[in-house]
Amino acid sequence: MLTIEPDRSPKPDESLAEYVRRVRTGMNISQAELAKRSGIHLMSVGKIEGGKTTRLSAKSKVGLSRALQISDSYLDAVCRGVPVTTVQQLKICPNCWVPGTEAESIWLHLRSKYCFACGTALRDRCASCNEPMTSTKHRFCAYCGKSYK
Ligand SMILES: [Zn+2]
Ligand SMILES: [Zn+2]
């Protein structure tokens, strides 16, 4: 069965409150359920979504990122108001990318899912072991040794 994943990366200019609420409602869970899954007090979840909390404790960050299945670097970025493009994940087109060269900046764009040139699904992790790509300098996965292409 296909499940539709909510877009889990923060949008430009999205506040922490908007971001958390959007991902939570995308997952179809209540504030109470989020509180339970993240180990954060329901009142604190309410404060975060109400925009009254703009800084997260380390514990809240870990809990939220786990419960919402998002990278804690995304939470850091929205808390600091840093454009999300600075926390972009390395992505390449397995068809067009030449190992050892820089990834095209358009592939790296947070919302890019397919190659602009050939339409192939972009890849941000090793096809063999699923570990995130670490560098375009490397031809092979650092974890399992398989070629990234
Ligand atoms: Zn391509
Ligand atoms: Zn690998």
Side-chain angles (χ1 to χ4, degrees):
M1 200 178 85
L2 268 179
T3 47
I4 296 165
E5 288 282 297
D7 187 351
R8 289 199 155 75
S9 51
K11 298 185 195 311
D13 299 331
E14 197 167 38
S15 70
L16 176 67
E18 292 163 340
Y19 178 49
V20 169
R21 193 183 316 116
R22 178 170 61 81
V23 178
R24 175 181 63 75
T25 52
M27 292 173 74
N28 238 333
I29 59 173
S30 63
Q31 281 193 359
E33 181 64 24
L34 175 59
K36 206 171 82 187
R37 290 191 194 182
S38 61
I40 302 173
H41 198 278
L42 177 57
M43 213 160 76
S44 306
V45 172
K47 276 186 182 169
I48 292 168
E49 290 199 9
K52 294 188 177 73
T53 302
T54 48
R55 279 166 183 278
L56 296 172
S57 67
K59 180 174 165 280
S60 304
K61 204 161 63 184
V62 171
L64 275 183
S65 63
R66 194 184 48 216
L68 297 172
Q69 298 160 39
I70 51 180
S71 160
D72 57 0
S73 64
Y74 287 168
L75 288 169
D76 275 339
V78 283
C79 288
R80 292 201 312 259
V82 175
V84 288
T85 45
T86 61
V87 293
Q88 66 202 356
Q89 170 67 47
L90 190 56
K91 272 186 293 194
I92 53 125
C93 168
N95 191 33
C96 303
W97 175 65
V98 179
T101 62
E102 294 285 319
E104 296 280 348
S105 58
I106 195 159
W107 294 337
L108 297 177
H109 196 277
L110 215 48
R111 313 192 69 79
S112 290
K113 290 198 168 62
Y114 300 94
C115 176
F116 64 97
C118 72
T120 303
L122 298 177
R123 188 181 289 169
D124 64 359
R125 45 193 65 238
C126 171
S128 174
C129 71
N130 221 31
E131 288 292 337
M133 290 188 67
T134 48
S135 166
T136 51
K137 302 265 185 320
H138 301 136
R139 187 178 286 264
F140 303 104
C141 172
Y143 300 94
C144 72
K146 289 271 161 47
S147 170
Y148 276 144
K149 276 205 76 147

